[in-house]
Amino acid sequence: MNYSEMDTPTVLIDLAVVNKNIKNYQNYCDEKGLNLRPHIKTHKVPELAKLQLAAGAIGITCQKVSEAEAMLSEGGIDDVLITYNIYGHSKLQRLLELSKKCNLSVVADNSVCVKGLSETFKEVDKPLKVLVECDTGAFRCGVVAPEEACLLAQEINEMPGLKFGGLMTYPPISQQEKVNRFLEAAKNLIEAKGIAVEIVSIGGSPNMWEVEKIPIGTEYRIGTYIYNDRSLMERKVCSEGDCALTVLATVVSTPTSKRAVVDAGSKVLTTDLFGLTGHGHIIDHPELMISQLSEEHACIVSDSPTGLSIGQKVRIIPNHACVVSNMVDQVIFLEGQKVLKTQAVVARGKVL
């Protein structure tokens, strides 16, 4: 079957582009002497994680315990970092079971979570590696000062069942000097206490080709690079030909010559804008704009006739690929025009 014959909306993944993206960024990290630890939130497919590992990645990054469980369900993945505070008895017990199946690391930014980790892992033979998460300006989780990072590292270092592993941050976009200054100060304070800082984990797709601007980093966590998306196209991080994920949609209405409606709404394309105008890039129709989304509709508008007709199929590069993966049970693997197979999105919906 040619993909143009498929029912819609459906998510298409071009494996030729996937493999090119994996190879290119792995080579880049190798040249920079930086370990690559891909974030699987973009694809949520163990088969694709194994391609990343085979190319040279040292392990994977997950955001939730359930996501890591799903990724390990098919085997072949043996090194996982979970970059989220883990709190609560149920999650901690699942984390303990997970640690028996892989080399596991986690992050924490507060004493409450650290104490819970210690209580859970205090009887294990191999201590759990814990990195201190630092807020270097993105204003999410993380200690907000190098001195706090040092205090928490000392606490982890003294807790039974735990081992201090290093520092981790999700950097704000284009503030690399500030990020490096924070991490360098934290590292110096911790090492002055006689504690080794083995890992400084950084990441982020928008600045993926500028890793040398945070020279203190030892590993890079990145997700979107495997697919890329419109947000990265607009930042000149990638080109249209580097985008492996597209949404195939069908025109179902043309109320006027300057407006058309396709069958891929917010339940497929997502409402993320990232400061952009419109909800995706329509391949072969750059002059058209997806002006608004409702749950099942996307409205396409133009200052002149759209040229679209009912039944016509279009391919859309979404603003944010990662969210699209979490909205569908399955994707279609392609190579160019050739359909290879239907692939389950194994870690879809894993938010616990």
Side-chain angles (χ1 to χ4, degrees), residues 25 169-171 202-209 211 220-223 232:
Y25 201 67
T169 191
Y170 180 76
I202 59 177
S205 298
N207 297 121
M208 61 187 283
W209 302 112
V211 299
Y220 207 80
R221 306 179 326 278
I222 185 169
L232 296 181

Side-chain angles (χ1 to χ4, degrees), residues 32-53:
K32 300 295 182 179
L34 198 64
N35 289 327
L36 178 60
R37 182 182 288 277
H39 206 314
I40 59 81
K41 66 177 181 177
T42 302
H43 56 74
K44 294 177 172 283
V45 177
E47 183 175 331
L48 296 183
K50 291 174 187 177
L51 290 178
Q52 293 170 309
L53 293 167

Side-chain angles (χ1 to χ4, degrees), residues 65 113 130 168 171 178 202 204 208 214 227 273 287 318 328 351:
V65 175
C113 287
V130 183
M168 169 263 170
K178 174 185 175 182
I202 59 177
M208 61 187 283
I214 308 180
Y227 287 164
L273 283 173
E287 75 285 359
V328 292
V351 297

Side-chain angles (χ1 to χ4, degrees), residues 48-112:
L48 296 183
K50 291 174 187 177
L51 290 178
Q52 293 170 309
L53 293 167
I58 63 166
I60 64 170
T61 304
C62 296
Q63 201 72 348
K64 298 295 184 72
V65 175
S66 59
E67 195 176 53
E69 289 170 335
M71 294 302 294
L72 290 172
S73 65
E74 295 187 17
I77 299 170
D78 59 8
D79 196 299
V80 178
L81 169 65
I82 300 178
T83 51
Y84 205 89
N85 281 328
I86 298 169
Y87 175 82
H89 178 75
S90 174
K91 288 185 177 70
L92 288 167
Q93 290 304 307
R94 286 163 48 214
L95 189 73
L96 182 61
E97 289 303 308
L98 198 63
S99 72
K100 300 173 184 178
K101 302 174 184 177
C102 66
N103 180 28
L104 181 66
S105 306
V106 300
V107 305
D109 74 353
N110 64 81
S111 294
V112 174

Side-chain angles (χ1 to χ4, degrees), residues 218-336:
T218 65
E219 76 170 24
Y220 207 80
R221 306 179 326 278
I222 185 169
T224 314
Y225 83 106
I226 190 171
Y227 287 164
N228 292 309
D229 57 24
R230 183 187 173 215
S231 73
L232 296 181
M233 285 175 58
E234 294 292 329
R235 291 182 178 277
K236 311 300 182 186
V237 174
C238 69
S239 66
E240 180 183 295
D242 299 319
C243 293
L245 181 149
T246 55
V247 174
L248 184 69
T250 301
V251 178
V252 293
S253 178
T254 54
T256 75
S257 64
K258 297 180 181 180
R259 177 161 59 95
V261 180
V262 297
D263 58 359
S266 63
K267 289 180 178 177
V268 180
L269 286 173
T270 88
T271 57
D272 284 357
L273 283 173
F274 292 138
L276 304 174
T277 300
H279 296 274
H281 170 81
I282 305 174
I283 294 176
D284 296 329
H285 299 280
E287 75 285 359
L288 304 181
M289 183 178 75
I290 302 175
S291 61
Q292 65 186 56
L293 300 177
S294 53
E295 290 184 64
E296 308 293 353
H297 305 79
C299 289
I300 298 173
V301 298
S302 177
D303 292 333
S304 56
T306 66
L308 300 178
S309 57
I310 293 173
Q312 183 175 348
K313 286 185 168 63
V314 294
R315 293 177 73 183
I316 302 166
I317 298 173
N319 288 352
H320 190 188
C322 302
V323 186
V324 173
S325 293
N326 199 49
M327 292 190 171
V328 292
D329 290 326
Q330 60 190 32
V331 295
I332 304 297
F333 280 177
L334 313 169
E335 278 193 356

Side-chain angles (χ1 to χ4, degrees), residues 153-193:
Q154 289 178 271
E155 183 176 349
I156 293 167
N157 196 51
E158 294 166 0
M159 283 283 184
L162 305 183
K163 177 186 177 183
F164 173 68
L167 302 170
M168 169 263 170
T169 191
Y170 180 76
I173 297 171
S174 300
Q175 297 183 43
Q176 295 98 324
E177 184 178 347
K178 174 185 175 182
V179 172
N180 198 74
R181 188 164 58 245
F182 183 114
L183 296 174
E184 190 171 47
K187 183 174 186 286
N188 290 339
L189 288 170
I190 295 167
E191 290 179 337
K193 299 295 183 181

